[in-house]
Short mmCIF file of all heavy atoms in Angstrom, two decimals:
data_model
loop_
_atom_site.label_atom_id
_atom_site.label_comp_id
_atom_site.label_asym_id
_atom_site.label_seq_id
_atom_site.Cartn_x
_atom_site.Cartn_y
_atom_site.Cartn_z
N LEU A 1 0.84 -1.20 0.00
CA LEU A 1 0.00 0.00 0.00
C LEU A 1 0.87 1.25 0.00
O LEU A 1 0.59 2.22 -0.72
CB LEU A 1 -0.93 -0.01 1.21
CG LEU A 1 -1.83 1.22 1.35
CD1 LEU A 1 -2.83 1.30 0.20
CD2 LEU A 1 -2.56 1.21 2.69
N GLN A 2 1.92 1.25 0.80
CA GLN A 2 2.81 2.42 0.85
C GLN A 2 3.52 2.63 -0.49
O GLN A 2 3.74 3.77 -0.90
CB GLN A 2 3.81 2.24 1.99
CG GLN A 2 3.17 2.34 3.37
CD GLN A 2 4.09 1.89 4.49
OE1 GLN A 2 5.00 1.10 4.27
NE2 GLN A 2 3.84 2.37 5.69
N MET A 3 3.83 1.54 -1.18
CA MET A 3 4.42 1.66 -2.52
C MET A 3 3.42 2.27 -3.50
O MET A 3 3.78 3.09 -4.35
CB MET A 3 4.86 0.29 -3.03
CG MET A 3 6.06 -0.30 -2.34
SD MET A 3 6.41 -1.96 -2.95
CE MET A 3 7.89 -2.37 -2.02
N MET A 4 2.15 1.88 -3.38
CA MET A 4 1.14 2.33 -4.33
C MET A 4 0.66 3.75 -4.07
O MET A 4 0.38 4.50 -5.00
CB MET A 4 -0.06 1.37 -4.29
CG MET A 4 0.22 0.00 -4.88
SD MET A 4 -1.27 -1.04 -5.04
CE MET A 4 -1.51 -1.54 -3.35
N THR A 5 0.55 4.13 -2.79
CA THR A 5 -0.09 5.41 -2.46
C THR A 5 0.83 6.38 -1.74
O THR A 5 0.48 7.55 -1.59
CB THR A 5 -1.33 5.17 -1.58
OG1 THR A 5 -0.92 4.68 -0.29
CG2 THR A 5 -2.28 4.17 -2.22
N GLY A 6 1.97 5.91 -1.26
CA GLY A 6 2.87 6.79 -0.52
C GLY A 6 2.55 6.91 0.94
O GLY A 6 3.22 7.63 1.68
N GLN A 7 1.52 6.23 1.40
CA GLN A 7 1.16 6.29 2.82
C GLN A 7 0.43 5.01 3.21
O GLN A 7 0.00 4.23 2.36
CB GLN A 7 0.27 7.50 3.11
CG GLN A 7 -1.02 7.53 2.28
CD GLN A 7 -1.79 8.82 2.49
OE1 GLN A 7 -1.40 9.68 3.27
NE2 GLN A 7 -2.91 8.95 1.82
N GLY A 8 0.29 4.80 4.51
CA GLY A 8 -0.39 3.61 5.01
C GLY A 8 -1.19 3.93 6.24
O GLY A 8 -1.38 5.08 6.61
N GLY A 9 -1.69 2.90 6.88
CA GLY A 9 -2.49 3.06 8.09
C GLY A 9 -3.59 2.02 8.12
O GLY A 9 -3.75 1.21 7.19
N TRP A 10 -4.34 2.05 9.21
CA TRP A 10 -5.44 1.09 9.37
C TRP A 10 -6.75 1.83 9.55
O TRP A 10 -6.77 2.90 10.14
CB TRP A 10 -5.15 0.20 10.59
CG TRP A 10 -3.92 -0.62 10.39
CD1 TRP A 10 -3.80 -1.80 9.73
CD2 TRP A 10 -2.60 -0.30 10.84
NE1 TRP A 10 -2.50 -2.23 9.74
CE2 TRP A 10 -1.74 -1.32 10.42
CE3 TRP A 10 -2.06 0.77 11.58
CZ2 TRP A 10 -0.38 -1.32 10.71
CZ3 TRP A 10 -0.72 0.77 11.87
CH2 TRP A 10 0.11 -0.26 11.42
N PRO A 11 -7.83 1.28 9.00
CA PRO A 11 -7.92 -0.02 8.34
C PRO A 11 -7.14 -0.03 7.01
O PRO A 11 -7.13 0.96 6.28
CB PRO A 11 -9.41 -0.21 8.07
CG PRO A 11 -9.95 1.20 7.98
CD PRO A 11 -9.14 1.99 8.97
N LEU A 12 -6.51 -1.15 6.75
CA LEU A 12 -5.81 -1.38 5.48
C LEU A 12 -6.76 -2.16 4.58
O LEU A 12 -7.09 -3.30 4.87
CB LEU A 12 -4.53 -2.16 5.74
CG LEU A 12 -3.82 -2.83 4.55
CD1 LEU A 12 -3.51 -1.84 3.46
CD2 LEU A 12 -2.56 -3.52 5.02
N ASN A 13 -7.20 -1.54 3.50
CA ASN A 13 -8.12 -2.17 2.56
C ASN A 13 -7.44 -2.26 1.21
O ASN A 13 -7.08 -1.24 0.62
CB ASN A 13 -9.41 -1.35 2.47
CG ASN A 13 -10.19 -1.35 3.77
OD1 ASN A 13 -10.50 -2.40 4.31
ND2 ASN A 13 -10.48 -0.17 4.31
N ILE A 14 -7.28 -3.48 0.71
CA ILE A 14 -6.48 -3.67 -0.49
C ILE A 14 -7.08 -4.80 -1.34
O ILE A 14 -7.66 -5.75 -0.80
CB ILE A 14 -5.02 -3.97 -0.10
CG1 ILE A 14 -4.05 -3.74 -1.25
CG2 ILE A 14 -4.87 -5.34 0.53
CD1 ILE A 14 -2.60 -3.60 -0.81
N PHE A 15 -6.97 -4.68 -2.64
CA PHE A 15 -7.56 -5.63 -3.57
C PHE A 15 -6.45 -6.50 -4.17
O PHE A 15 -5.44 -6.00 -4.66
CB PHE A 15 -8.31 -4.90 -4.69
CG PHE A 15 -9.47 -4.09 -4.17
CD1 PHE A 15 -9.30 -2.78 -3.75
CD2 PHE A 15 -10.75 -4.65 -4.11
CE1 PHE A 15 -10.37 -2.03 -3.28
CE2 PHE A 15 -11.82 -3.91 -3.64
CZ PHE A 15 -11.63 -2.60 -3.21
N LEU A 16 -6.66 -7.83 -4.13
CA LEU A 16 -5.66 -8.78 -4.59
C LEU A 16 -6.17 -9.56 -5.79
O LEU A 16 -7.36 -9.90 -5.87
CB LEU A 16 -5.31 -9.79 -3.48
CG LEU A 16 -5.11 -9.28 -2.06
CD1 LEU A 16 -4.74 -10.46 -1.15
CD2 LEU A 16 -4.07 -8.19 -2.00
N SER A 17 -5.27 -9.87 -6.69
CA SER A 17 -5.60 -10.76 -7.80
C SER A 17 -5.72 -12.18 -7.25
O SER A 17 -4.86 -12.63 -6.49
CB SER A 17 -4.50 -10.69 -8.85
OG SER A 17 -4.79 -11.53 -9.94
N PRO A 18 -6.78 -12.91 -7.59
CA PRO A 18 -7.01 -14.21 -6.96
C PRO A 18 -6.01 -15.30 -7.35
O PRO A 18 -5.80 -16.24 -6.59
CB PRO A 18 -8.42 -14.58 -7.44
CG PRO A 18 -8.59 -13.85 -8.73
CD PRO A 18 -7.85 -12.56 -8.55
N ASP A 19 -5.37 -15.15 -8.50
CA ASP A 19 -4.48 -16.23 -8.96
C ASP A 19 -3.13 -16.23 -8.26
O ASP A 19 -2.50 -17.28 -8.11
CB ASP A 19 -4.29 -16.14 -10.48
CG ASP A 19 -3.74 -14.79 -10.91
OD1 ASP A 19 -4.05 -13.78 -10.24
OD2 ASP A 19 -3.02 -14.73 -11.92
N ASP A 20 -2.67 -15.05 -7.80
CA ASP A 20 -1.32 -14.99 -7.22
C ASP A 20 -1.23 -14.13 -5.97
O ASP A 20 -0.15 -13.96 -5.40
CB ASP A 20 -0.33 -14.47 -8.26
CG ASP A 20 -0.77 -13.16 -8.90
OD1 ASP A 20 -1.68 -12.50 -8.36
OD2 ASP A 20 -0.20 -12.80 -9.95
N LEU A 21 -2.37 -13.53 -5.54
CA LEU A 21 -2.44 -12.72 -4.32
C LEU A 21 -1.62 -11.44 -4.39
O LEU A 21 -1.29 -10.84 -3.37
CB LEU A 21 -2.03 -13.53 -3.09
CG LEU A 21 -2.77 -14.85 -2.85
CD1 LEU A 21 -2.32 -15.49 -1.56
CD2 LEU A 21 -4.28 -14.64 -2.85
N VAL A 22 -1.29 -10.99 -5.61
CA VAL A 22 -0.57 -9.73 -5.77
C VAL A 22 -1.58 -8.58 -5.70
O VAL A 22 -2.61 -8.62 -6.37
CB VAL A 22 0.19 -9.69 -7.11
CG1 VAL A 22 0.85 -8.33 -7.31
CG2 VAL A 22 1.22 -10.81 -7.16
N PRO A 23 -1.32 -7.55 -4.91
CA PRO A 23 -2.26 -6.42 -4.80
C PRO A 23 -2.15 -5.50 -6.01
O PRO A 23 -1.09 -5.40 -6.63
CB PRO A 23 -1.79 -5.71 -3.54
CG PRO A 23 -0.33 -6.00 -3.47
CD PRO A 23 -0.16 -7.39 -4.03
N PHE A 24 -3.26 -4.84 -6.33
CA PHE A 24 -3.21 -3.90 -7.46
C PHE A 24 -3.92 -2.58 -7.19
O PHE A 24 -3.69 -1.60 -7.89
CB PHE A 24 -3.77 -4.55 -8.73
CG PHE A 24 -5.19 -5.05 -8.62
CD1 PHE A 24 -6.26 -4.26 -9.02
CD2 PHE A 24 -5.45 -6.33 -8.14
CE1 PHE A 24 -7.56 -4.73 -8.93
CE2 PHE A 24 -6.75 -6.81 -8.06
CZ PHE A 24 -7.81 -6.01 -8.45
#
């Protein structure tokens, strides 16, 4: 998340590809 948006925190809500669990 920090790589994608430059920041993080909770709740952490993220979408993963089902075949390999890589977030997008």
Side-chain angles (χ1 to χ4, degrees):
L1 178 65
Q2 291 168 335
M3 289 176 178
M4 289 188 284
T5 68
Q7 58 186 359
W10 297 277
L12 164 55
N13 294 306
I14 198 162
F15 297 88
L16 317 181
S17 181
D19 57 329
D20 53 15
L21 306 183
V22 176
F24 58 95

